[in-house]
Amino acid sequence: LLGLEEDSKTSFTTLIVGVFVVYVLHTCWVMYGIVYTKPCENPKFENCLKPYLAGKTRLQLSIYTALRPNADGGHTLIHKEEDFDVESKFERIVNVSLPKKTRKNGTLYAMVFVHQAGISPWQDPRQVHLVTQLTTYMIPKALEVSLISGEETTTGGDSAVDRPVSHWRSRLTLNVVSEDFVFDRDFLPSDVHRYLKVFQNGKKMVYLPLLFVDELSNRVKDLMEINSTSIELPLTISYDTISLGKLRFWIHMQDAVYSLQQFGFTEKDADEIKGIFVDTNLYLLALTFFVAAFHLLFDFLAFKNDISFWKQKKSMVGMSSKAVLWRCFSTIVIFMYLFDEQTSLLVLIPAGIGSLIEVWKVKKAFKIQIIWKGVRPTFIFGKSDESERRTEEYDTLAMKYLSYLLYPMCIGGAVYALVFLRYKSWYSWIINSLVNGVYAFGFLFMLPQLFVNYKFKSVAHLPWKAFMYKAFNTFIDDIFAFIITMPTSHRLACFRDDVVFLVYLYQRWLYPVDKTRMNEYGLSYDEEEKPKGKAHED
C-alpha cells in the first residue's frame, strides 16, 4: 500500500509537470499568433488592404478636450501638430484648462484626430480618431502625521477622504503604425479590426493610419488629485511609432488589464500589472513570462510537499518549534503590513494564504487540540517525549543568544521611527515597526533551526523536497523584486532568504544522511520514505 501511495504521488507530480509543459508550449503558440500577422502575398489581389500612409499624404494631429466622449456640449482644441510626421517621435507639454464640472469631481475626455493637413477633422471624411479619458477615480492617499508633534503631511490634494475622487492623468501616449503592411482581408486579425478604417480608392481598398492610445502608460505615480482650485493642469503628450506586432500585443494586454478592473481590481492593483509591461523591455518581459511560469510550478510543488510533510509529521525531534512559531508570527505581521500599505493583490493574496498555512503548522508543531464547549474553544497541548525535550533545550538556548542582539535593535528601530517618521495612525506605526523588525532581523529566527541541525549533526528531519522548491522560488523572487512594485523592505527581504538557503545547503553537504536508516532515536526522519528500514549500525 505504501508503494502504491508513493507511486501515486510520483504520478501526480509527473502529471502536473506534464500539464505545465503543455501550458508553456500552448502559451508560446498563442504569443506567436499575436505578434505574427500573415501579409497579403499578392498585392494586386482584390482582397488586399493597402496602407494610406504609402501615399505620403500630408497629415495633421489634433487633440481636443470634451466633457462627453461624443463631444456633445462642445470641445476645446488643446494641441495640434500641423506637419505631423508619423516617423518622428516627440514629446510636448501643454497646460489644459479644466471645466467647472471636471473640478467638481467630474470627468474630462481627450479626442485625438489624425487627418489631412489644412482640413478640419470634423469635415475630413478620411480622418481617424480615438477617445480616451484624461481623468480617473481613485481614493486619495491618506494623511500621515508625526505621532509626537502632530504635524500633518500628505502627497497630494487638499483633503484625505475615503471615497474616490477625480484624478488627472498627466500623460497621454500616442502611437501610429508606420510600417507599410498589406493586410489580407481573409486573415485580418480581430484585435486590429476595431482600429481599422477602410475606404475604396478606385479598385483598391485602402486602410487609414492605425492610431493607438497607450492606456498602459497611465501610471498611478503620474496622477494628480483634482480639486476646486485646479484651474489648469499640465499634460505631457508623447508620440512614437509602433510595430504591428507590438500593437497587437499591447491591445491584448490592455484588454486584459481592463478585464481585471471589471472583476474588481482597483486603479492601484491594475498599475502593478501595467508596470510589468511598460517599465520592462520586451526581451526581459519574455524572460519574465517563463520565470513566472516556473515560479507558479515550484510554488505548487513546494506547497504540495510542505503540506504532505506536515500532515504526516508526528514528532518534532530535530525541528525548531520556536522557528515555526516565529515564521507564523512574521507571516501574519507581513500580511497585515501589506494590507495596511494597500499593496497589490498579486502580493497580498499569496501572503494571506501563507499566513493560514503557518497557523496550521503551529497547531501541528505544538500538538494543539481544539475542543469546543459551545462557542468557547479549549486548547489542549500534547506532551513531548525525551527526544523532543532535548530538541527544545537546544532551541531555547539558541533563542536566548539571539534575544541579546535582536530585542535592542527592534526597540531602537521603533523609537527612531516614532521620532523621525510620519504615519497614518498608531496602529500603522506598530505594524511598520513590527514588520521592519521582521524584514531586517527576521532571518535571525531561522538560525535556531541551523543550531539544532548543528547539535544533532543531521538535517534528515527537514522537508527537503519543499525546501528545494522554495529555494528555487527564492532566487526567482530576486528577479520579481525588480519588476513588481512593492515596499522596499519587502524587496530587500527577498535577498535575505538567499543567504539562509545557502547555509542550509552547506549543512546538507556537511551532514550527509542515509535516509533509509533509523537514527539514534529509532525514528526515520524522512517521513516521505517507508517508516521502517534497516537499523542504524554504530
Side-chain angles (χ1 to χ4, degrees), residues 105-211:
N105 213 24
T107 306
L108 192 65
Y109 294 89
M111 308 183 71
V112 184
F113 290 86
V114 174
H115 56 98
Q116 296 179 72
I119 304 177
S120 169
W122 308 99
Q123 279 80 46
D124 185 3
R126 295 181 179 175
Q127 54 83 14
V128 289
H129 77 278
L130 290 175
V131 179
T132 185
Q133 282 189 218
L134 290 177
T135 56
T136 187
Y137 288 94
M138 194 176 72
I139 297 176
K141 185 176 176 63
L143 284 169
E144 293 182 345
V145 300
S146 171
L147 299 176
I148 301 297
S149 65
E151 182 183 351
E152 296 183 353
T153 60
T154 185
T155 56
D158 55 6
S159 63
V161 294
D162 57 358
R163 61 180 177 82
V165 300
S166 188
H167 283 68
W168 178 252
R169 288 176 169 170
S170 60
R171 294 192 69 86
L172 178 62
T173 305
L174 310 173
N175 303 111
V176 171
V177 177
S178 59
E179 58 188 278
D180 294 337
F181 190 86
V182 181
F183 286 101
D184 188 331
R185 281 180 18 179
D186 293 334
F187 298 95
L188 191 63
S190 59
D191 44 44
V192 175
H193 189 271
R194 56 182 143 154
Y195 291 91
L196 208 62
K197 188 175 179 181
V198 181
F199 69 93
Q200 187 84 32
N201 186 12
K203 294 183 178 181
K204 297 186 298 182
M205 295 294 292
V206 180
Y207 68 91
L208 292 170
L210 288 170
L211 175 64

Side-chain angles (χ1 to χ4, degrees), residues 11-32:
S11 300
F12 182 72
T13 302
T14 304
L15 176 64
I16 292 299
V17 173
V19 170
F20 167 76
V21 172
V22 172
Y23 165 75
V24 171
L25 293 176
H26 173 72
T27 304
C28 291
W29 175 255
V30 171
M31 294 299 295
Y32 173 75

Side-chain angles (χ1 to χ4, degrees), residues 205-218:
M205 295 294 292
V206 180
Y207 68 91
L208 292 170
L210 288 170
L211 175 64
F212 179 69
V213 177
D214 186 1
E215 300 279 357
L216 295 177
S217 295
N218 293 328

Side-chain angles (χ1 to χ4, degrees), residues 472-487:
F472 288 133
N473 267 354
T474 297
F475 295 116
I476 290 174
D477 286 338
D478 296 345
I479 299 175
F480 274 105
F482 292 102
I483 297 175
I484 295 180
T485 304
M486 60 181 69

